[in-house]
Amino acid sequence: MSQAFVTQPSTSYGGQTGVAFGAFANSNKGRSNGVLCRTASGLCSMNRRFEQSDSASLALSVRKSKKSGTKPNLMRLNVGTHIVAAGNGNSDRNVKSNSKAPAQGNEKTTSRRLKVVSNAAPMTVRSATGLLIPLSIVDSEHEDPEEEKYVDANDFNQLLIQKNKVAVKKRRANRFAEEEEEITGTAKNLHISETSKDSHSLPLSDLADNYESTLMNLIDQVEGIRLHALALERWHAPQLKKVHRQYYASARNLLHYVAFRSLDIADLQERLASSGLSSLEGCEAHTLATVNSIGSILRSLLHGSQIKTSRFDGNTEHKSSQSPSISERQGVTYNGQPTNSSTPAMDVSLNTDEDISFQAGNSMLLNHAEVLLGPSPPGRKTVVMVTLPSEAAEDDVLVRNLFKSGMNIARINCAHDNPEVWKKMVRKVRFFSQLLETPCRISFDLAGPKLRTGPMQPGPSVLKIKPLKDSLGEVVAPASIWIAEEGVKPMGERIPDACVPVVASPKWAKKIQIGDVIKFKDARGRLRELHVVEKGSGAARDGIYAECRSVSYITSGCELAISRHGGKKLKVNVGQLPDVEQAIVLRVGDKLLLKRDSVLGSPAQLDKAGQVVVPASVTCTLAKVFDVAKPGEPVKFDDGKIGGVISSVSSSEICVTITEAGDHKGKKLKGEKAINFPESDLSTTGLTVKDAGDLDFVVANADILALSFVNGPADVRVLQKELARRGADKIGIVVKIETELGFQRLPSILLQAMETKNPVGVMVARGDMAVECGWQRLAEIQDQILLICESAHVPTIWATQVLEGLAKSGLPSRAEITDAASGSRAECVMLNKGPYILQAVASLDDILCREASHRRKNQSVLHPLQNLHNLGM
């Protein structure tokens, strides 16, 4: 009969110590009480109960010679017990059938009989996918192995405990036999008895046995983790065969870590930490190396304990130099080497490849990060990615200053602008990268199937000038204004708050002197002043810098007048200003219509009494929503800043009732803002028609390609096929995890991404993730993504709203600074565009440089405390 490796999940033994176990259970959804049966020729799965039909699953049944009480969840079987595994005709053939079970109904069933050859000892490790119980392969104690003996599980447990107690007592009696013969004095016996009664202390033998028992229990638990990791690796062997050779070791480690994290080892961690050992935290990049190291230390401690025991009990014969692990007691192989040739070997070592060491795991992650993201700059380990605004296509000064501030990767979002604008951005980035001798990668984000609001109706051509004020309304810093002919860029290092184009006038700039006052009436009819502080020179000879200390609204055609000595005035007119982006103000209780047709968004129309005649409306860019959305489902706008509930749905529009919009002032909704339907079944794919059209340009110009809204391996597979068709095997692939479904399938997504030689990375898109999964879970999910990616040696990008307040308003919050510092756990941090993007890049560079000396991934680096002499110690 083939030897079998059987596991039973969801079982607790209450800490009994008579049986050792550890291994694997199926974690697929829709199944429960799954078991794994390993034969000499392969693996087959068995389930006592399953919700979905699976032709490869078996139902496990156990025959007993007597019925006593309620049938337990897991039956502790004696050696020689036979297990009948019944299933349908398509079940795995690796378990040879020795008998047939009667068919039930019209189902075609077969049965397979497995014989228990030995029992192992239980551990207290619990598993999210099931508790792992291997049946050890040792010599049977029964003379007739074919004889069937059945014992009730509860009775068997009690018998096993009693057996262990008797063995312990016998061992103690032998150990102290000689010593007790020499103790003949009644007084000494009385003294020992009184001391034991008063102090309630244990004899040295009891202490030694307890210590050995604790170490053995820890060793068994650690060994169970190792067996579980190897079993999951074997389970996914077909996927591993598809992985590219340069990622093979990383893929194995990913599976080991996923298996490790499916176990609940909180109690084991606490016991290890209290013993001064590693609590298995920080093992992501080298999981099995950490587990094996802990196991070796524990066995060394046990070996030392046994030598000491032999010395104080008078026994001069030392015990074995190394305590056997579960695999050694079972006679299985360890890293491909048999450890006990006297017993039948069960090949639990599912792959003979060398496990990743501590140094190799860390260096592999660093190498993969450098290949994808480029070298990190001196002083910090995390690179900075900056989203380029549309102005970067024309503004040389902006691009140059981004390089000087610390940008390492320029990001271009394909959801905005067009290939002509992208081409100009690429040229400027490549040019300044060579000019400044600063490496800089270019990353393109494919738009993906993301839902967005359509464009809004254009507003008036007006420019708002706003100086910086404190909480009391006092001006802290005046607004800096660049005034020049249309097309003339700002000069020098100064970054203006606003640019005002003027209609060309002969030698107008030469006539203006520093200190002159420019007066004008703004759009509200209020008199305002601009003070000239700097004049242009060289290429910027037709421009000036001025400062304004009052809030002003300048419109196209506004007259700027400068009083000259002698009563003469110099006048110029403001040129054409860009239209202000219109916005819809939404408050709680308002209605918003999402249109299927492409129309310009517009605010609500009111009558003379202020009542809404026509609700506000905006286009939804994904037509499929109108076919699947249902009344009562939630809708989120602009990364969750505005929320609502669908009140009605038709083929052409969806009516949303606003339920979340801040305070009584409401929130503004603009064009090109995200729309999320967290509970609607959109079934979107990762590569849209627009993405396919943009792909040729992206492949020709990008170093990195980011795929938006990746929900599963199929999305990555489609992109890989498109890249292979274009021969783009060197362009980096970054999968953006933005949904809960994508997070749940992250290990499978990574395995799929590793099938080609393209560099691989993951972007933690926290904006959509918070909307899709709920902001309460964001911290937990983003941390788990970082850990899973580290186990696969895949670099991560910390994205969405990093220093957003600083980039948009010039003032960061304390929470933003802390969040930016947390980004040092990733290999890259991404910043979005904003008026103060240069200040944001410089601040992020400073934060990451400081964190580089204090943190290494998820571990703190314990350098000496600064200013320790000021702590009064």
Side-chain angles (χ1 to χ4, degrees):
M1 179 183 294
S2 299
Q3 295 169 349
F5 173 66
V6 182
T7 69
Q8 166 68 37
S10 306
T11 308
S12 175
Y13 286 88
Q16 299 174 8
T17 60
V19 181
F21 60 84
F24 176 80
N26 200 335
S27 60
N28 292 336
K29 288 187 175 181
R31 302 178 185 175
S32 62
N33 289 337
V35 298
L36 177 68
C37 176
R38 167 167 164 69
T39 69
S41 58
L43 293 170
C44 69
S45 61
M46 297 189 289
N47 284 271
R48 296 187 61 180
R49 175 173 61 86
F50 50 90
E51 300 173 6
Q52 299 177 355
S53 176
D54 186 351
S55 61
S57 299
L58 300 173
L60 179 65
S61 62
V62 180
R63 293 190 290 146
K64 298 166 43 179
S65 60
K66 60 179 181 178
K67 298 181 179 179
S68 59
T70 304
K71 183 178 180 180
N73 185 36
L74 175 68
M75 310 187 56
R76 192 80 60 92
L77 302 178
N78 203 348
V79 173
T81 304
H82 283 75
I83 302 175
V84 178
N88 58 28
N90 295 326
S91 301
D92 196 307
R93 299 295 183 184
N94 288 330
V95 182
K96 296 182 179 180
S97 176
N98 289 334
S99 63
K100 293 186 177 180
Q104 300 178 359
N106 296 326
E107 297 178 357
K108 181 181 179 180
T109 62
T110 60
S111 65
R112 285 84 181 263
R113 188 171 62 174
L114 307 176
K115 184 186 70 175
V116 177
V117 293
S118 180
N119 288 293
M123 297 158 36
T124 56
V125 177
R126 298 173 182 270
S127 172
T129 58
L131 195 61
L132 311 170
I133 310 169
L135 300 181
S136 57
I137 309 303
V138 297
D139 292 336
S140 172
E141 298 178 358
H142 301 281
E143 296 180 357
D144 186 4
E146 296 298 330
E147 180 184 358
E148 295 187 3
K149 293 185 179 181
Y150 306 100
V151 182
D152 183 82
N154 295 327
D155 296 339
F156 184 84
N157 290 342
Q158 295 300 322
L159 291 174
L160 188 60
I161 293 174
Q162 293 299 327
K163 181 179 179 181
N164 290 338
K165 288 183 178 179
V166 171
V168 170
K169 290 181 179 179
K170 184 177 180 180
R171 185 168 61 253
R172 292 176 185 170
N174 294 334
R175 182 181 299 169
F176 287 91
E178 296 180 1
E179 182 178 351
E180 290 177 356
E181 291 179 359
E182 297 177 358
I183 303 177
T184 57
T186 305
K188 190 170 184 178
N189 285 332
L190 179 62
H191 172 71
I192 293 176
S193 176
E194 291 176 351
T195 303
S196 176
K197 182 182 298 184
D198 295 337
S199 63
H200 302 283
S201 62
L202 294 174
L204 290 176
S205 60
D206 290 343
L207 294 175
D209 286 334
N210 289 338
Y211 181 64
E212 290 183 13
S213 177
T214 300
L215 288 176
M216 287 294 294
N217 184 262
L218 292 175
I219 291 171
D220 288 348
Q221 294 187 53
V222 172
E223 183 72 1
I225 294 173
R226 189 183 73 86
L227 292 174
H228 187 23
L230 293 175
L232 188 62
E233 178 189 340
R234 176 61 179 271
W235 188 262
H236 290 278
Q239 288 179 273
L240 280 176
K241 292 181 180 178
K242 299 178 182 179
V243 171
H244 194 274
R245 61 180 181 275
Q246 70 183 22
Y247 296 121
Y248 185 79
S250 299
R252 288 184 65 237
N253 192 75
L254 168 63
L255 292 174
H256 297 161
Y257 182 74
V258 171
F260 163 69
R261 289 307 303 270
S262 71
L263 302 172
D264 183 3
I265 62 167
D267 179 65
L268 175 61
Q269 280 188 296
E270 183 176 353
R271 295 173 67 186
L272 290 173
S274 64
S275 302
L277 300 174
S278 168
S279 61
L280 296 174
E281 187 179 7
C283 69
E284 288 76 21
H286 33 70
T287 303
L288 274 191
T290 303
V291 172
N292 292 335
S293 177
I294 293 297
S296 299
I297 294 173
L298 290 171
R299 283 190 287 271
S300 299
L301 291 175
L302 182 61
H303 168 50
S305 170
Q306 291 171 332
I307 292 178
K308 291 179 181 179
T309 300
S310 65
R311 287 174 178 170
F312 77 71
D313 67 8
N315 187 358
T316 58
E317 181 181 356
H318 289 188
K319 299 183 180 180
S320 61
S321 61
Q322 185 175 9
S323 172
S325 64
I326 290 180
S327 58
E328 291 168 337
R329 294 197 297 269
Q330 296 173 195
V332 302
T333 62
Y334 185 80
N335 285 340
Q337 299 298 325
T339 58
N340 189 350
S341 58
S342 63
T343 58
M346 180 182 67
D347 185 12
V348 177
S349 181
L350 302 175
N351 197 303
T352 58
D353 290 353
E354 184 179 355
D355 298 324
I356 297 176
S357 65
F358 292 86
Q359 295 79 7
N362 295 328
S363 63
M364 289 174 69
L365 177 58
L366 294 176
N367 291 337
H368 290 169
E370 184 170 348
V371 171
L372 176 70
L373 305 171
S376 56
R380 57 178 162 92
K381 301 176 183 178
T382 306
V383 301
V384 175
M385 175 185 291
V386 181
T387 303
L388 296 181
S390 301
E391 299 79 42
E394 304 291 343
D395 196 339
D396 291 353
V397 176
L398 173 61
V399 177
R400 182 187 61 188
N401 289 334
L402 285 173
F403 272 91
K404 292 184 176 181
S405 298
M407 179 180 71
N408 308 115
I409 303 176
R411 174 178 176 259
I412 298 175
N413 193 347
C414 294
H416 304 284
D417 303 316
N418 54 65
E420 289 298 324
V421 177
W422 305 338
K423 189 175 183 179
K424 294 179 180 179
M425 292 180 180
V426 170
R427 287 178 176 175
K428 292 191 182 301
V429 171
R430 301 293 190 203
F431 173 77
F432 283 107
S433 178
Q434 294 181 357
L435 180 66
L436 302 176
E437 296 182 348
T438 303
C440 183
R441 302 287 172 92
I442 297 179
S443 175
F444 277 82
D445 272 28
L446 296 179
K450 187 171 183 177
L451 286 73
R452 298 181 182 274
T453 58
M456 298 288 181
Q457 291 181 353
S461 300
V462 61
L463 176 65
K464 181 180 180 180
I465 300 175
K466 183 180 180 181
L468 183 62
K469 297 183 178 181
D470 60 16
S471 57
L472 299 178
E474 296 293 333
V475 175
V476 176
S480 178
I481 314 299
W482 170 253
I483 305 175
E485 297 180 17
E486 188 173 357
V488 178
K489 301 300 179 182
M491 64 174 187
E493 301 295 332
R494 183 194 293 261
I495 306 299
D497 298 310
C499 295
V500 177
V502 295
V503 178
S505 176
K507 300 181 180 180
W508 71 275
K510 293 183 179 180
K511 299 178 182 179
I512 298 177
Q513 302 297 324
I514 296 177
D516 285 348
V517 177
I518 303 176
K519 297 182 179 181
F520 66 97
K521 287 186 178 180
D522 72 353
R524 301 168 297 175
R526 298 178 181 179
L527 184 63
R528 292 290 185 257
E529 294 181 348
L530 300 174
H531 296 264
V532 180
V533 295
E534 187 177 353
K535 292 186 62 176
S537 60
R541 60 185 181 279
D542 295 327
I544 60 173
Y545 275 109
E547 293 181 348
C548 181
R549 302 184 64 85
S550 302
V551 177
S552 307
Y553 293 86
I554 299 179
T555 58
S556 300
C558 176
E559 185 180 79
L560 306 179
I562 304 173
S563 298
R564 308 299 301 169
H565 296 290
K568 295 183 178 180
K569 290 185 178 181
L570 175 64
K571 299 180 180 180
V572 293
N573 294 96
V574 176
Q576 182 62 42
L577 295 171
D579 296 333
V580 175
E581 183 182 8
Q582 191 75 304
I584 299 174
V585 179
L586 297 172
R587 300 176 178 85
V588 175
D590 288 351
K591 301 289 185 181
L592 177 64
L593 299 179
L594 298 180
K595 297 288 187 177
R596 187 168 196 159
D597 298 332
S598 181
V599 296
L600 296 177
S602 60
Q605 298 180 17
L606 308 178
D607 58 14
K608 294 181 179 180
Q611 300 298 320
V612 177
V613 178
V614 179
S617 62
V618 66
T619 297
C620 179
T621 57
L622 188 63
K624 185 177 182 179
V625 172
F626 298 89
D627 300 327
V628 299
K630 300 176 182 178
E633 293 179 339
V635 185
K636 302 289 185 178
F637 300 93
D638 196 4
D639 293 334
K641 295 177 182 177
I642 302 173
V645 177
I646 298 176
S647 55
S648 63
V649 180
S650 68
S651 59
S652 59
E653 67 180 27
I654 297 175
C655 182
V656 179
T657 301
I658 303 301
T659 58
E660 302 173 21
D663 54 19
H664 66 282
K665 296 181 180 179
K667 291 286 186 179
K668 293 182 178 180
L669 178 62
K670 298 181 179 181
E672 304 261 336
K673 295 300 180 181
I675 309 177
N676 294 87
F677 291 80
E679 298 181 8
S680 302
D681 184 14
L682 299 180
S683 300
T684 55
T685 59
L687 202 61
T688 64
V689 175
K690 182 184 185 306
D691 296 337
D694 295 337
L695 207 53
D696 289 333
F697 179 88
V698 171
V699 168
N701 294 275
D703 302 303
I704 303 170
L705 189 156
L707 182 61
S708 300
F709 276 81
V710 178
N711 289 322
D715 297 336
V716 181
R717 192 179 302 115
V718 171
L719 177 61
Q720 288 174 325
K721 290 181 179 179
E722 291 295 327
L723 294 179
R725 191 165 61 87
R726 293 168 172 82
D729 58 352
K730 294 183 179 180
I731 187 172
I733 298 177
V734 171
V735 293
K736 298 174 64 176
I737 305 300
E738 306 177 71
T739 64
E740 185 169 10
L741 186 59
F743 165 67
Q744 293 173 353
R745 297 175 177 175
L746 179 57
S748 299
I749 291 172
L750 292 176
L751 289 176
Q752 176 61 48
M754 292 177 179
E755 290 188 8
T756 60
K757 65 182 297 185
N758 298 77
V760 181
V762 169
M763 179 180 289
V764 190
R766 302 178 300 160
D768 286 288
M769 182 67 71
V771 176
E772 294 281 339
C773 303
W775 57 268
Q776 300 89 341
R777 297 180 56 200
L778 178 60
E780 169 194 357
I781 290 177
Q782 68 185 17
D783 288 347
Q784 292 188 27
I785 293 176
L786 292 178
L787 296 177
I788 292 174
C789 291
E790 184 180 359
S791 70
H793 310 126
V794 169
T796 51
I797 302 173
W798 187 265
T800 312
Q801 296 181 334
V802 179
L803 296 179
E804 184 178 26
L806 175 58
K808 291 186 175 181
S809 67
L811 292 176
S813 65
R814 289 185 293 273
E816 286 180 357
I817 299 299
T818 303
D819 179 67
S822 298
S824 62
R825 294 182 296 167
E827 283 66 43
C828 176
V829 178
M830 190 194 84
L831 291 174
N832 277 321
K833 55 191 176 182
Y836 299 91
I837 184 60
L838 294 178
Q839 292 90 322
V841 175
S843 298
L844 180 61
D845 175 71
D846 181 66
I847 293 171
L848 294 178
C849 287
R850 295 175 184 274
E851 285 295 308
S853 60
H854 298 291
R855 179 176 295 276
R856 183 183 298 116
K857 289 296 290 182
N858 297 294
Q859 296 179 332
S860 297
V861 179
L862 301 181
H863 289 299
L865 292 175
Q866 297 182 1
N867 300 323
L868 188 61
H869 59 280
N870 294 329
L871 299 181
M873 299 181 66

